[in-house]
Amino acid sequence: MPLAQHQPAGRRGWNRTHLHLLLLFLSVLQTQGHIQIPPDFKEAPKITTQPESQTAFSLDDIDLACEATGNPKPSFRWVKDGSQFGEVLLEFGSLTAGPDEELRSYQGSYRCYVANELGTAVSDLVHLITESIPTLAKEKKQKRRLFEEGESTVLYCNPPKSSVAPKIHWMDTQLHHIPQNERVTMSLDGNLYFANLIVNDSREDYTCNAHYIKASVILPKESIAISVTASNSVAKNQRPQLLQPTGSHSSYLALRGQTLTLECIPEGLPTPEVLWERMDSPLSPSRVRMLKYGRWLQIESVSEADDGEYVCTATNSQGSVTHHYAVTVEAAPYWTKWPEDHLYAPGETVRLHCQADGIPTPNVTWSINGVPITGTDLDTRRHVSSGTLILTNVQFSDTAIYQCEASNKHGNILVNTQVHVAALPPQILTADGLVYMATAGKTILLECRTFGSPLPKVDWEILGTGPAHANARMSTMADGNLQISNVSEEDSSLYTCSVRNSNRSISAELEVLNRTKIVDPPQDLQVVRGNDVVLQCKFTVDHKLKHPTIQWKKDGHKISASSNDDKYTEDRDGSLKVTDVQMKDTGIYSCEISTELDSDSATGSITVQDIPGPPHALELSEKMDRSVTLSWMPGAENNSPISEYIIEMKEEQYQAGSSRWEEFKRVPHDIKHLEVHLQPYSTYHFRISAVNGIGRSVPSPPSDSYSTPAAKPDMNPENVTTVSTDPNSMVISWKELERRQFNGPGFKYKIYWRQSSDGDLQWKESSVSNPPFIVNDTGTFIPFEIKVRAANELGAGPEPVAKIGYSGEDLPLEAPSKVTVDELNKTAVIIRWSPVSSESVRGHLLGYKIHLRRKGPRTHSRRSPAMRSHAADKNRVIEVPAHKVEEVVSNLHLYSNYTLTVAPFNSRGEGPHSMEYHFSTPEGAPGPISSLTFESPSETEVTLHWEAPHNPNGVITGYLLQYQEIVPGSSSPQPVESIDLPAVTEFTLKGLNPQSHYLFYLRGRNTAGDGEPIKRQGATLLDGEPPSVINVTAGETLVNVSWVPGDRHRNFAFRFRYIQKSDGGEWEESEQVNSTQAFYQLQGLNPGVWYHLQILPGNNSWAFQTNGPALLELPSSFATQGWFIGLISAMILLLLVLLILCYIKKSKGGKYSVKKKEEGQGETVSRPMKEGEFGEYSIEKCSTGQPSVCESKRSSNDSLADYGDSVDIQFNEDGSFIGQYSGRRDPRTHTGHDSSGATSPLNPNMPPPSISFPTSVTGILGPN
């Protein structure tokens, strides 16, 4: 506990800080309430750096520190083992060794004494141990140690002895640490323990390295070699025994404040698990730590409360062993009350309280300036009572440094205390007019520090209220300060501090604010690993307190939110967001809201849950022929209790392929042992998974394999039956056993059979490896008794029960008779017949098949083409169970002729058919019209085209046409007009309203009545016209023209014509364009030129400019005239001919050889050709400045005008017209389009096709 928490209450005098101020006042001068301090003050010695006990391995290691302050500068001297050691040191107090001294001469106990004219201070007692640097004695090379798998052993280290214990490392020759785990553990003495050995433990270089840190040396011991061989005895598990410590009880002595480590290292197979307990109370997780995989129990900073009995229990599947540890806690001396430096006035009585505790109880003694006060002290003014030094009627000569020392067998402690006797007038050191601020509920201290000897006494008063001590929450402290507990807003006032018997006083103002409060503290949260979580910490602060700080802590350690790490994010309202929580984020979280005056804190917790850790230590025991016992240890629950375990098994049969893991069983969480029943002649592996509320763990490592011996089969195959197909044989079939049910090698099936009509016949038998089995020469449909029995090399399975089977069937011999047909309704009849005899079936009668065939309609009229197209249907075959002799047949066609036959059938097939029976169905109303399309010859006429019903169900005698006008917004229906039509397939309606749409209904008729109507919606088409508004998008040498076709307008043929604005050229025209195209492209234009555009017929015109730079024209002169250009060209051509003739004459001597010329041409072809040349001839390229030479101005690369002339106008399913272009014209032709196309009346505003334009300017141009 810090010293400040142990100041004795009510002590007279001043603390150490005030004593230092006293030394400033050798003379006191009062000027306007201030104290002037002379610079030449004195200070008693004070030790700032204490020496420490140490072990020295060389002279260079000897360095006992002793540093102090004081004025005048103090001197230093050392005392060794009670005698003066060395000379007095004036500059520095540290003790070091001389170069020629012997090391062991420095061993002993030391104290440092620091003195000046105000007294002598004494240091703690320290011990210096000297020894030589540890070295290794010569060791014999150890022989290889041989072990069997499963045995335990210990590798001993035995490092050289030293007062400073070395740190032990077990490593190999490559300086890699030997892995340690629950099975391999290092003890406190440095030995390496193996609970049980495995083959992988074999190695040649187990090396113990002892590291003496203070001596700066590492000593490697001789390597140890062990060899572990596999053995069947590993199956014999061993009960746990303790390797360290031995026996059942041990005792330990621990000193208060030190670290205690208890170890429990067992041996056994399977590897034991260690459990620690305390006999008199449960172990506190905050007090103890489990180290070395639970083999060590460590208690840091031991206290008296840790005294007691501890128990270690090592457990495996074979049993357990325990060890009891009796821990006794004692203590070196420690202070419970100690004296402090004070200022006293002459004549006062001084009480220096000094109390220490320890086990055993320490002895307390006093010294003055390092000289012990004996029981026979001659000065009667001082005496010691219960550790307290009492000085009565102190004088100036009593100014000194007093030492209080406590000691027992475990050590000693010492404290220096300065007593200064002086006489000084009273002074107030605290400034006047201070303003104090505090928040409600806190404790505030109003300062009134005084100075004087004897100590001045003060009184506090509240303005307008009176003495402060009248309030129970206010008290004047020994140092003159006023303490106010649990302040409230009513305490805000002006306070005055006055020194008694003087005119000195100061005033102070107190202002009380609202306290800081957390209104929404963090809660205890549970969250699944990987998710985000938010801890709330909303708060309120007084408006006068600016910039509160928020500090979050986890398990007492500060959390800092960083922009580089988004793990923690703090919000302005105080909340903390933790992202992607992991198991390490589990803990206690606290938020603290701090202002300059107060703070408030609250705690919550985050418990991170995850799927459990996999079970471990899976072992197989009690291995029997058909069972084995599994045992395992649970893995980590990860803060969610385990609810069950899932046992998985992988079963492998001998001489079988690879198998896979399958779930075997689920058991509750409290079961850790399970007996598993096994199949013979199999090899098994097991693994276990744990399940908690979050999910399923990964499986444990697989167990060792276990193989069961072979045995006779336990069962016979099921579903033994005959599935014969041939008349003179019997096929015996059964459900095969699984391979795991074979139970041994040489598995086979034994088949037994005999006729069931004679029970005295002997069983015939045979053996096969798999079904089926065929018995020949059995006769047709003869009953047999059959049995199938499983067997292997060790014997046969249990005796099976015989079953009845039959040999193969044959086709029935007899046909049903007395077939009749009775009408139920127009489309359904009931068919009846007489059954066949059982003898004629020659097998199991499965039923009857009715073969029904529609021969066609009853008449073949030329007026009914639809009827002739469905003259005959496929046969219908209807199966009827064997117990029935009649059947209802429905869904027959009306007005049709039918024939039928009936035949019995068994598994072999159908028997003979009965005599054909003929019957007919009556006439019925027609079905719906097959199709209905429209044409619109004019704005008031519509021609309807249709096809006869697909199912006329009789002879069509005519049609009924009905139509009515659709008036938008009208609530009353319009009158329906009806027209009776003969058996025709088209009709023209005249006098229709061009502005309206109509509903049309058409149905067929025969003598049975009217059929179902077909319903369509449509309207007439309006006369077409050229577009009046167009959209022009220009490129460099082309322009795209688009428009919106008119609503319900017929196709209209027109042309574009265009001319340049600048020259006086002629108009050029495009090919014929259809108004329904909605798009056209003019090509072959000049760049950067303005054009006039018109539509013919029509008088609208538009202007546009192509993109790019304009082509410049040369000024007119004789050089541009045609006659001049022709003359120059003729002269150049004549000159070229002359040059060629001269060259030929010179190279050929005037003769021309055709053969050589051809050879020369061959060589010319073989040379690389330049661009634009081919052989002897050059290819002339088109000039980009004359596009009219290379391309047509009126051609369209991809125009809707390429589609053909005819347009098929018909109705959609919803009654709307569809305009369809039929055929595609050759784009190379330039003939115009006929105006026979039409726009759909239902969707007249059809958008233009989506075309990518190579232009950058688009505008909608109206007529000029």
Side-chain angles (χ1 to χ4, degrees):
M1 188 174 291
L3 297 181
Q5 299 182 14
H6 294 278
Q7 296 181 11
R11 177 184 300 274
R12 297 188 63 228
W14 290 63
N15 61 21
R16 191 182 305 269
T17 303
H18 293 157
L19 180 57
H20 294 163
L21 291 175
L22 168 64
L23 300 178
L24 303 176
F25 301 115
L26 298 181
S27 64
V28 178
L29 178 63
Q30 302 184 51
T31 304
Q32 298 179 351
H34 290 81
I35 300 175
Q36 294 188 357
I37 304 170
D40 54 343
F41 67 92
K42 294 183 179 181
E43 183 182 2
K46 181 181 179 182
I47 298 177
T48 57
T49 302
Q50 292 277 358
E52 295 181 357
S53 297
Q54 60 180 257
T55 298
F57 294 92
S58 66
L59 293 174
D60 293 336
D61 293 338
I62 298 176
D63 186 7
L64 297 178
C66 183
E67 298 178 6
T69 60
N71 188 20
K73 191 171 184 179
S75 62
F76 301 86
R77 63 185 177 91
W78 286 90
V79 174
K80 173 190 174 190
D81 298 330
S83 302
Q84 179 76 23
F85 184 79
E87 299 178 352
V88 176
L89 305 175
L90 298 178
E91 296 296 330
F92 303 100
S94 297
L95 175 64
T96 57
D100 300 327
E101 299 291 336
E102 190 175 351
L103 177 63
R104 62 183 178 181
S105 65
Y106 282 92
Q107 182 163 316
S109 299
Y110 291 82
R111 279 193 193 275
C112 176
Y113 289 77
V114 184
N116 68 6
E117 60 186 64
L118 295 182
T120 301
V122 182
S123 74
D124 295 333
L125 182 66
V126 297
H127 305 282
L128 177 61
I129 301 174
T130 61
E131 60 181 61
S132 59
I133 297 176
T135 58
L136 284 177
K138 188 173 182 180
E139 295 179 313
K140 293 183 179 180
K141 185 178 177 82
Q142 298 189 35
K143 295 181 179 180
R144 178 188 295 272
R145 301 170 63 182
L146 304 178
F147 301 93
E148 286 190 355
E149 188 176 11
E151 290 186 280
S152 63
T153 190
V154 182
L155 304 184
Y156 294 97
C157 181
N158 297 327
K161 300 296 182 182
S162 174
S163 60
V164 180
K167 189 171 184 179
I168 304 301
H169 303 273
W170 281 93
M171 310 175 80
D172 58 17
T173 54
Q174 301 298 319
L175 298 183
H176 297 147
H177 282 86
I178 301 298
Q180 298 185 33
N181 47 43
E182 294 174 330
R183 190 179 57 83
V184 183
T185 309
M186 188 180 72
S187 64
L188 292 172
D189 56 11
N191 298 331
L192 192 63
Y193 291 82
F194 291 81
N196 53 76
L197 289 165
I198 61 176
V199 175
N200 288 342
D201 292 329
S202 299
R203 62 187 312 139
E204 311 250 343
D205 53 355
Y206 285 96
T207 305
C208 173
N209 296 272
H211 184 194
Y212 296 86
I213 299 175
K214 183 66 176 178
S216 300
V217 64
I218 298 177
L219 301 179
K221 300 278 291 195
E222 190 70 29
S223 297
I224 302 174
I226 67 173
S227 178
V228 183
T229 58
S231 173
N232 292 331
S233 63
V234 74
K236 298 178 182 179
N237 296 335
Q238 303 172 10
R239 287 175 58 88
Q241 297 294 331
L242 283 186
L243 295 172
Q244 182 69 17
T246 58
S248 60
H249 291 78
S250 57
S251 298
Y252 294 83
L253 175 63
L255 292 182
R256 179 179 183 270
Q258 294 183 348
T259 297
L260 172 65
T261 302
L262 305 178
E263 59 182 347
C264 180
I265 304 178
E267 64 174 345
L269 184 68
T271 302
E273 186 175 77
V274 173
L275 175 66
W276 289 92
E277 297 175 288
R278 183 172 177 175
M279 296 299 292
D280 54 351
S281 64
L283 289 174
S284 172
S286 61
R287 294 286 303 144
V288 301
R289 291 196 305 163
M290 304 297 174
L291 303 176
K292 296 291 184 180
Y293 303 94
R295 270 50 180 168
W296 287 10
L297 173 70
Q298 188 175 87
I299 305 174
E300 294 183 348
S301 187
V302 171
S303 66
E304 290 84 345
D306 297 318
D307 190 289
E309 185 175 355
Y310 297 79
V311 179
C312 153
T313 304
T315 307
N316 68 5
S317 59
Q318 304 302 305
S320 62
V321 63
T322 60
H323 187 89
H324 293 257
Y325 304 79
V327 175
T328 302
V329 178
E330 294 188 357
Y334 59 93
W335 297 117
T336 59
K337 184 181 292 186
W338 59 92
E340 294 186 355
D341 300 341
H342 285 284
L343 174 67
Y344 300 92
E348 285 192 89
T349 297
V350 177
R351 293 180 180 272
L352 301 180
H353 297 281
C354 185
Q355 296 179 6
D357 203 354
I359 303 175
T361 303
N363 181 40
V364 177
T365 60
W366 283 91
S367 300
I368 301 176
N369 292 330
V371 179
I373 299 175
T374 63
T376 59
D377 192 357
L378 298 178
D379 193 342
T380 58
R381 293 184 301 111
R382 56 178 178 247
H383 66 278
V384 178
S385 176
S386 299
T388 300
L389 176 62
I390 302 173
L391 305 175
T392 59
N393 190 22
V394 293
Q395 304 300 318
F396 295 109
S397 60
D398 293 321
T399 297
I401 299 178
Y402 293 76
Q403 288 83 31
C404 177
E405 185 173 9
S407 60
N408 67 7
K409 65 178 182 179
H410 299 302
N412 64 328
I413 54 176
L414 182 145
V415 62
N416 292 284
T417 303
Q418 183 184 2
V419 173
H420 196 99
V421 181
L424 298 170
Q427 297 287 325
I428 296 179
L429 303 180
T430 303
D432 188 18
L434 294 179
V435 178
Y436 295 86
M437 298 181 70
T439 55
K442 298 297 181 180
T443 297
I444 184 69
L445 201 65
L446 305 185
E447 292 188 359
C448 185
R449 294 184 294 109
T450 59
F451 175 78
S453 180
L455 182 66
K457 297 184 181 296
V458 300
D459 294 314
W460 283 90
E461 289 191 1
I462 307 174
L463 180 64
T465 302
H469 62 80
N471 191 324
R473 295 182 292 104
M474 301 182 185
S475 60
T476 303
M477 311 301 291
D479 57 3
N481 296 333
L482 177 66
Q483 178 177 292
I484 307 175
S485 303
N486 192 23
V487 296
S488 62
E489 187 177 355
E490 291 76 13
D491 297 327
S492 298
S493 185
L494 187 66
Y495 293 76
T496 302
C497 172
S498 303
V499 178
R500 293 179 188 176
N501 304 319
S502 74
N503 60 352
R504 299 191 178 277
S505 66
I506 62 169
S507 62
E509 183 181 353
L510 174 62
E511 182 179 1
V512 180
L513 308 179
N514 294 324
R515 69 185 181 93
T516 301
K517 185 179 181 180
I518 295 176
V519 295
D520 187 6
Q523 305 296 318
D524 295 329
L525 304 178
Q526 292 183 339
V527 60
V528 177
R529 184 177 68 86
N531 291 336
D532 300 343
V533 65
V534 177
L535 291 168
Q536 300 293 340
C537 188
K538 296 181 180 178
F539 59 91
T540 59
V541 296
D542 193 283
H543 67 282
K544 294 184 179 180
L545 300 175
K546 306 297 184 183
H547 309 296
T549 60
I550 306 169
Q551 180 61 62
W552 280 92
K553 295 181 180 180
K554 175 184 178 293
D555 297 330
H557 301 287
K558 291 183 180 180
I559 295 175
S560 58
S562 172
S563 59
N564 298 327
D565 182 10
D566 57 358
K567 181 66 175 179
Y568 301 105
T569 305
E570 294 181 2
D571 203 350
R572 291 183 178 179
D573 64 356
S575 62
L576 175 70
K577 180 179 180 182
V578 186
T579 60
D580 188 23
V581 295
Q582 301 297 318
M583 297 306 299
K584 64 181 180 181
D585 295 319
T586 296
I588 303 299
Y589 288 77
S590 63
C591 69
E592 182 178 15
I593 311 300
S594 301
T595 65
E596 57 189 80
L597 296 181
D598 68 342
S599 63
D600 192 15
S601 62
T603 60
S605 66
I606 294 178
T607 302
V608 181
Q609 299 177 320
D610 197 4
I611 61 173
H616 57 92
L618 175 59
E619 302 289 347
L620 305 181
S621 60
E622 300 178 16
K623 300 177 180 178
M624 310 296 289
D625 288 350
R626 296 208 177 191
S627 68
V628 69
T629 298
L630 307 181
S631 61
W632 63 91
M633 302 299 294
E637 291 188 344
N638 289 336
N639 298 320
S640 180
I642 294 175
S643 58
E644 63 178 353
Y645 293 99
I646 301 175
I647 294 92
E648 292 181 286
M649 179 174 66
K650 182 164 68 173
E651 182 180 9
E652 300 174 355
Q653 282 73 43
Y654 290 99
Q655 301 178 353
S658 61
S659 58
R660 57 188 178 88
W661 290 101
E662 294 182 354
E663 182 175 322
F664 171 71
K665 193 173 185 179
R666 295 183 179 229
V667 297
H669 67 93
D670 55 346
I671 293 181
K672 309 293 189 303
H673 298 78
L674 181 68
E675 182 180 4
V676 179
H677 295 281
L678 310 175
Q679 283 290 123
Y681 198 57
S682 298
T683 299
Y684 292 90
H685 299 267
F686 299 92
R687 68 183 186 185
I688 301 178
S689 304
V691 179
N692 63 7
I694 307 304
R696 177 175 175 175
S697 74
V698 298
S700 67
S703 68
D704 297 334
S705 62
Y706 177 61
S707 300
T708 54
K712 294 189 297 183
D714 299 325
M715 59 186 302
N716 293 312
E718 299 176 345
N719 299 336
V720 179
T721 183
T722 55
V723 288
S724 307
T725 56
D726 295 332
N728 197 33
S729 66
M730 177 174 62
V731 179
I732 303 175
S733 180
W734 59 91
K735 180 182 179 181
E736 290 189 82
L737 294 180
E738 299 179 14
R739 182 175 293 275
R740 60 189 299 269
Q741 297 169 330
F742 290 179
N743 288 5
F747 182 81
K748 59 185 177 180
Y749 297 99
K750 290 186 175 182
I751 296 89
Y752 302 88
W753 71 95
R754 67 180 180 184
Q755 287 191 19
S756 64
S757 58
D758 191 350
D760 295 335
L761 289 176
Q762 293 294 324
W763 289 94
K764 298 180 181 180
E765 67 176 272
S766 184
S767 297
V768 293
S769 59
N770 53 273
F773 178 75
I774 301 175
V775 181
N776 295 314
D777 300 327
T778 58
T780 302
F781 200 60
I782 304 299
F784 282 84
E785 291 182 76
I786 55 176
K787 296 187 297 184
V788 179
R789 191 176 189 181
N792 60 22
E793 292 181 359
L794 280 76
E799 181 67 27
V801 178
K803 293 190 175 183
I804 301 297
Y806 291 85
S807 59
E809 301 182 0
D810 206 348
L811 297 176
L813 299 175
E814 183 181 325
S817 59
K818 299 180 181 179
V819 177
T820 61
V821 177
D822 295 321
E823 181 180 325
L824 295 179
N825 54 44
K826 289 185 177 182
T827 59
V829 297
I830 182 170
I831 304 171
R832 298 184 176 88
W833 62 90
S834 297
V836 297
S837 62
S838 58
E839 296 80 6
S840 66
V841 177
R842 296 199 292 178
H844 295 286
L845 179 63
L846 301 181
Y848 298 90
K849 292 185 179 181
I850 301 173
H851 294 263
L852 181 67
R853 179 172 177 269
R854 178 173 181 252
K855 300 177 64 176
R858 285 165 45 185
T859 62
H860 298 279
S861 171
R862 293 182 181 179
R863 295 177 298 170
S864 303
M867 294 172 62
R868 293 194 297 271
S869 66
H870 302 285
D873 290 343
K874 291 183 179 180
N875 287 351
R876 289 174 59 186
V877 178
I878 304 165
E879 290 190 5
V880 181
H883 66 277
K884 294 181 65 176
V885 291
E886 64 180 22
E887 181 69 12
V888 174
V889 179
S890 57
N891 297 325
L892 300 177
H893 288 272
L894 294 168
Y895 202 64
S896 299
N897 293 322
Y898 286 90
T899 62
L900 69 85
T901 60
V902 182
F905 71 97
N906 57 20
S907 61
R908 182 68 175 171
E910 292 185 24
H913 288 231
S914 65
M915 298 291 293
E916 282 192 351
Y917 190 93
H918 300 269
F919 68 95
S920 301
T921 55
E923 190 174 12
I929 303 299
S930 298
S931 66
L932 177 61
T933 60
F934 288 74
E935 290 182 356
S936 179
S938 69
E939 293 184 353
T940 60
E941 295 180 346
V942 168
T943 300
L944 291 81
H945 300 269
W946 65 88
E947 292 184 5
H950 180 73
N951 294 317
N953 297 336
V955 179
I956 297 297
T957 59
Y959 296 91
L960 173 62
L961 173 64
Q962 296 175 306
Y963 64 96
Q964 66 180 142
E965 185 178 357
I966 299 174
V967 180
S970 175
S971 58
S972 58
Q974 300 300 312
V976 178
E977 303 290 339
S978 298
I979 302 176
D980 292 326
L981 300 176
V984 296
T985 57
E986 66 176 52
F987 181 73
T988 300
L989 280 174
K990 300 181 179 181
L992 301 179
N993 185 355
Q995 306 302 323
S996 297
H997 285 72
Y998 288 86
L999 279 176
F1000 297 91
Y1001 306 87
L1002 182 66
R1003 66 187 79 202
R1005 284 179 168 177
N1006 61 17
T1007 56
D1010 294 342
E1012 300 177 17
I1014 185 173
K1015 178 181 177 182
R1016 294 288 185 270
Q1017 179 179 336
T1020 60
L1021 295 180
L1022 306 179
D1023 293 336
E1025 60 184 13
S1028 60
V1029 178
I1030 63 175
N1031 184 3
V1032 178
T1033 306
E1036 288 190 359
T1037 61
L1038 55 83
V1039 65
N1040 295 318
V1041 184
S1042 61
W1043 61 92
V1044 178
D1047 183 16
R1048 287 178 51 203
H1049 282 71
R1050 289 187 188 82
N1051 191 24
F1052 185 84
F1054 65 92
R1055 296 178 185 271
F1056 290 105
R1057 75 169 184 169
Y1058 54 95
I1059 190 174
Q1060 291 189 19
K1061 274 187 175 185
S1062 58
D1063 59 10
E1066 296 182 354
W1067 288 87
E1068 297 188 51
E1069 291 187 2
S1070 71
E1071 62 184 328
Q1072 184 171 286
V1073 182
N1074 290 331
S1075 61
T1076 56
Q1077 287 180 222
F1079 172 81
Y1080 189 75
Q1081 186 178 83
L1082 292 173
Q1083 299 180 348
L1085 307 180
N1086 293 325
V1089 176
W1090 280 94
Y1091 284 88
H1092 282 294
L1093 176 68
Q1094 292 183 348
I1095 294 179
L1096 298 178
N1099 55 2
N1100 293 332
S1101 63
W1102 294 265
F1104 65 89
Q1105 183 183 20
T1106 55
N1107 296 335
L1111 297 177
L1112 299 177
E1113 296 183 0
L1114 296 174
S1116 178
S1117 65
F1118 76 92
T1120 61
Q1121 299 300 317
W1123 62 268
F1124 181 76
I1125 294 173
L1127 177 62
I1128 295 302
S1129 299
M1131 292 175 64
I1132 292 173
L1133 181 61
L1134 179 61
L1135 179 60
L1136 180 61
V1137 171
L1138 292 175
L1139 291 174
I1140 292 173
L1141 292 176
C1142 291
Y1143 174 75
I1144 293 174
K1145 184 175 181 180
K1146 182 179 180 180
S1147 59
K1148 300 296 184 180
K1151 298 180 181 180
Y1152 185 82
S1153 173
V1154 176
K1155 181 177 181 180
K1156 291 183 179 180
K1157 181 64 177 178
E1158 290 176 352
E1159 293 174 353
Q1161 288 180 353
E1163 295 174 356
T1164 302
V1165 173
S1166 65
R1167 294 196 308 269
M1169 291 183 293
K1170 297 181 181 179
E1171 184 180 357
E1173 296 182 354
F1174 183 82
E1176 293 179 330
Y1177 302 97
S1178 64
I1179 301 174
E1180 182 179 357
K1181 295 184 178 180
C1182 293
S1183 172
T1184 58
Q1186 295 177 332
S1188 60
V1189 179
C1190 303
E1191 56 185 349
S1192 171
K1193 293 182 180 179
R1194 294 191 297 263
S1195 65
S1196 174
N1197 290 337
D1198 188 10
S1199 172
L1200 294 177
D1202 295 334
Y1203 292 87
D1205 301 331
S1206 62
V1207 177
D1208 181 17
I1209 305 176
Q1210 62 182 17
F1211 282 99
N1212 239 335
E1213 291 185 0
D1214 59 355
S1216 62
F1217 287 116
I1218 301 177
Q1220 296 179 342
Y1221 293 99
S1222 61
R1224 179 174 176 87
R1225 300 185 56 144
D1226 187 350
R1228 293 171 295 181
T1229 63
H1230 297 282
T1231 59
H1233 291 271
D1234 295 330
S1235 59
S1236 60
T1239 304
S1240 169
L1242 193 64
N1243 188 14
N1245 298 319
M1246 183 172 60
S1250 176
I1251 299 175
S1252 177
F1253 298 152
T1255 62
S1256 58
V1257 180
T1258 302
I1260 300 177
L1261 306 177
N1264 288 341

